[in-house]
Amino acid sequence: MSAIISLDLAGFVPREDEDGAGSADRVWDDERGVVLSVHDFAIVPDLVAPLDAGERLLRELARYTARSGAALIEAEVRELGGVPGLWQLIKIPRPSGPGQIFVGAWTVPRDRCSVVLKVQAAEGAVSGMREAVVADRVGFDTYFRPHPYDPQLSAPHPYHVADLPEWDAHFPTHPLTLVRQTLARVGATAVLDDRFRALPPFTGPAPDGTAPAEAPRRRWWQKR
């Protein structure tokens, strides 16, 4: 069953999934370099906490993302197709060369499965312009801030104000702007299969909301 049965794909064209024939993933891209994909998983969701965990969910997301070498920009529980889901934006270093990759996702978990709507875009040859301009405008002393979800978080990629949405209008072609806007636009048009909507809701990964340290986790921003 494909959980998302309809999306507004204006501007996107399908491309062959790198996983090859038979993959359940659906992938599109556009002329701006934005990649859009839908992933269905027939296993228990691996979210760090249930959606109704509030501040604990956000704190654990920030910590887990930092431990994995990425940085959580923002996260929020939002509905996708009328069903509660987790909206996330993260950034990761490019595996080769300078710059970053920005990835956004809407994860809609159910009791024994989930669907992920993912959008990503990478910086090109010129990187760091948004950060440099914002730092110059706000001043270095106020540029870096404690992470809003965990002020004590020590991470390899410090939280800073250049990633805030109010700067998107100043950088309309920046990959973070494109990811944030595309995820919101496409997600607003998502239609979920009634059978998926009727499934029991996700109640959490474990009674204490944590997973054993030795248990491997998928990183949703990586290739599935």
Side-chain angles (χ1 to χ4, degrees):
M1 176 182 65
S2 179
I4 297 178
I5 60 175
S6 177
L7 287 171
D8 177 5
L9 297 172
F12 283 90
V13 295
R15 76 176 191 184
E16 184 179 355
D17 182 26
E18 296 177 5
D19 287 335
S23 171
D25 299 340
R26 293 170 284 166
V27 185
W28 305 263
D29 53 20
D30 70 8
E31 61 183 10
R32 304 169 301 174
V34 178
V35 180
L36 169 68
S37 55
V38 174
H39 311 265
D40 294 286
F41 298 102
I43 56 175
V44 177
D46 64 347
L47 294 180
V48 295
L51 296 182
D52 61 0
E55 292 182 358
R56 179 167 68 88
L57 169 63
L58 301 181
R59 182 176 63 251
E60 293 302 323
L61 285 172
R63 292 177 178 178
Y64 167 65
T65 307
R67 289 195 302 268
S68 301
L72 182 64
I73 296 173
E74 63 183 66
E76 183 181 356
V77 175
R78 301 184 184 181
E79 287 192 351
L80 181 76
V83 178
L86 178 64
W87 158 290
Q88 295 183 77
L89 289 175
I90 67 125
K91 58 184 177 182
I92 56 177
R94 295 185 65 180
S96 60
Q100 303 175 104
I101 301 172
F102 296 87
V103 191
W106 229 312
T107 300
V108 182
R110 307 308 275 165
D111 185 44
R112 291 291 182 267
C113 64
S114 64
V115 64
V116 177
L117 172 63
K118 185 169 72 171
V119 177
Q120 68 181 62
E123 289 183 305
V126 178
S127 62
M129 183 65 69
R130 175 170 176 153
E131 291 82 355
V133 171
V134 174
D136 182 66
R137 292 188 184 182
V138 304
F140 188 78
D141 291 341
T142 59
Y143 179 74
F144 292 104
R145 297 180 181 178
H147 200 286
Y149 306 148
D150 185 358
Q152 305 304 316
L153 181 66
S154 177
H157 309 289
Y159 184 86
H160 58 70
V161 299
D163 291 335
L164 294 176
E166 50 259 42
W167 293 103
D168 287 353
H170 298 273
F171 304 93
T173 62
H174 189 273
L176 175 56
T177 301
L178 298 178
V179 167
R180 186 183 271 125
Q181 293 179 348
T182 301
L183 188 62
R185 178 183 68 82
V186 175
T189 70
V191 178
L192 298 180
D193 189 292
D194 287 341
R195 294 169 295 175
F196 180 82
R197 293 167 56 90
L199 292 173
F202 175 68
T203 57
D208 63 354
T210 62
E214 67 275 14
R217 285 189 183 274
R218 292 189 316 276
R219 297 172 184 175
W220 61 264
W221 57 86
Q222 294 179 328
K223 192 172 182 337
R224 304 280 184 156

